[in-house]
């Protein structure tokens, strides 16, 4: 019952907030792929876009490598979905992404070298608290414009008779280190649904708050497919661990 009410609340929020005509509205489709090499390393890639006024206005492609902390730091994986990173207390990511901004935006070509650290903590009621500290070493048309992006996320695994899914809420702040007039705050509410053994589907509502006259408010709906693969050696290790339980 609680799970059903949460889904109804989420999509009702999408529809109510989408009716506000004073803010820009966008759809953000995205594909993500993960390949777990072993206990310590994972490859991650993404392709995303922005759809506004029935047109795709920009896109991003990136590739990254994740490094997970030593096994003794690993905690429980309470999410029951495909992303096993939520079972780790501490892990790191580095990578590169390329973005092509809208033609009307002076910030046309964006190259980003990304570095981030991630932590997970188990709270009461089976809630997982995730913190992220991300630094984008960003070059916009050749000019260095770094951004620091701290994020706090709450995740709760839920089940119905037919679905296994995560509900989450996160807040992220963008500190533009060269120009603080561009700083922005985003709040997101979403769900991640287990579709297949190797695939999850994610949808969320994101609101960006206005920062005086410099940053305009934004409502966005995210539609995301996540694919998870693993090497043969890592799959055999997981199978061996399951047999010991």
């Amino acid at each position: 019952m609680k799970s059903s009410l949460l889904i109804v609340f989420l999509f009702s929020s999408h529809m109510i907030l989408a009716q506000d005509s004073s803010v820009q509205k966008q759809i953000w489709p995205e594909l993500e792929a993960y390949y777990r090499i072993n206990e310590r390393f994972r490859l991650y890639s993404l392709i995303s876009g922005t759809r506004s006024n029935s047109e795709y206005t920009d896109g991003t492609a990136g590739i990254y490598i994740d490094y997970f902390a030593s096994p003794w730091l690993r905690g429980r994986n309470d999410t029951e979905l495909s992303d096993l990173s939520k079972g780790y207390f501490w892990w790191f990511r580095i990578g590169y992404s390329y973005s092509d901004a809208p033609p009307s935006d002076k910030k046309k070509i964006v190259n980003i070298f990304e570095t981030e650290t991630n932590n997970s903590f188990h709270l009461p009621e089976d809630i997982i608290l995730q913190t992220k500290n991300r630094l984008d070493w960003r070059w916009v048309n050749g000019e260095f414009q770094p951004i620091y992006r701290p994020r706090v996320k709450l995740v709760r695994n839920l089940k119905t008779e037919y679905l296994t899914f995560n509900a989450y809420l996160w807040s992220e702040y963008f500190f533009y280190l060269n120009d603080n007039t561009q700083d922005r705050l985003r709040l997101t509410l979403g769900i991640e649904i287990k579709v297949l053994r190797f695939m999850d589907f994610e949808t969320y509502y994101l609101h960006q708050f206005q920062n005086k006259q410099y940053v305009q408010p934004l409502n966005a709906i995210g539609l995301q497919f996540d694919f998870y693969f693993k090497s043969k050696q890592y799959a055999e290790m997981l199978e061996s661990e399951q047999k010991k339980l």
Side-chain angles (χ1 to χ4, degrees):
M1 186 63 179
K2 291 180 180 179
S3 303
S4 301
L5 289 174
L6 181 63
I7 295 175
V8 171
F9 169 74
L10 175 62
F11 286 98
S12 297
S13 300
H14 283 187
M15 297 187 67
I16 292 171
L17 293 168
Q19 293 174 2
D20 186 354
S21 60
S22 64
V23 300
Q24 185 180 7
K25 303 177 184 65
Q26 295 180 351
I27 297 176
W28 295 354
E30 184 169 341
L31 293 176
E32 297 188 353
Y34 300 84
Y35 180 77
R36 191 64 180 259
I37 302 172
N38 52 37
E39 180 73 13
R40 296 290 185 91
F41 291 97
R42 179 179 72 174
L43 292 177
Y44 160 57
S45 62
L46 69 85
I47 299 176
S48 66
T50 300
R51 187 171 179 84
S52 180
N53 298 324
S54 301
E55 294 181 354
Y56 284 98
T57 59
D58 62 70
T60 299
I63 186 165
Y64 311 85
I65 187 165
D66 297 337
Y67 174 80
F68 295 92
S70 300
W72 65 272
L73 287 173
R74 187 173 61 190
R76 307 185 310 273
N77 178 30
D78 289 341
T79 66
E80 298 188 33
L81 295 186
S82 302
D83 186 4
L84 298 180
S85 68
K86 296 179 177 64
Y88 283 78
F89 289 140
W90 194 22
W91 57 280
F92 307 88
R93 173 175 290 168
I94 61 171
Y96 167 79
S97 68
Y98 171 87
S99 297
D100 189 356
S104 60
D105 192 339
K106 293 181 181 179
K107 300 177 178 62
K108 178 64 175 175
I109 303 299
V110 183
N111 292 278
I112 303 175
F113 178 68
E114 300 177 16
T115 57
E116 68 179 60
T117 64
N118 296 269
N119 299 87
S120 294
F121 306 93
H122 292 270
L123 303 181
E125 303 298 329
D126 293 327
I127 296 174
I128 297 178
L129 169 65
Q130 298 175 331
T131 61
K132 175 191 293 186
N133 286 281
R134 171 174 166 177
L135 184 59
D136 288 352
W137 308 80
R138 201 172 62 121
W139 282 263
V140 181
N141 292 337
E143 181 182 353
F144 183 52
Q145 299 181 8
I147 303 176
Y148 171 54
R149 299 170 53 177
R151 189 181 81 175
V152 176
K153 183 177 182 180
L154 296 172
V155 183
R156 177 67 159 85
N157 183 244
L158 298 165
K159 284 185 176 183
T160 68
E161 184 177 356
Y162 304 103
L163 289 178
T164 297
F165 64 97
N166 285 346
Y168 61 81
L169 173 70
W170 60 254
S171 178
E172 184 172 21
Y173 198 88
F174 292 66
F175 290 96
Y176 283 68
L177 301 182
N178 290 0
D179 179 11
N180 59 16
T181 63
Q182 297 300 311
D183 290 355
R184 59 200 64 194
L185 174 65
R186 291 175 174 176
L187 185 66
T188 299
L189 177 68
I191 57 174
E192 183 182 6
I193 304 170
K194 188 175 186 65
V195 180
L196 299 171
R197 181 176 54 83
F198 60 89
M199 184 180 75
D200 297 340
F201 171 71
E202 190 170 340
T203 183
Y204 57 85
Y205 164 79
L206 177 146
H207 177 71
Q208 176 176 282
F209 294 89
Q210 185 170 6
N211 180 3
K212 299 180 180 179
Q213 73 271 27
Y214 306 110
V215 176
Q216 297 303 309
L218 167 70
N219 288 336
I221 299 296
L223 302 171
Q224 181 175 313
F225 285 94
D226 305 324
F227 297 90
Y228 297 89
F229 307 98
K230 58 180 74 74
S231 68
K232 181 179 179 181
Q233 293 79 3
Y234 186 66
E236 290 175 348
M237 186 200 74
L238 291 179
E239 184 178 352
S240 176
E241 289 183 351
Q242 288 294 324
K243 290 180 179 179
K244 295 177 181 179
L245 297 177

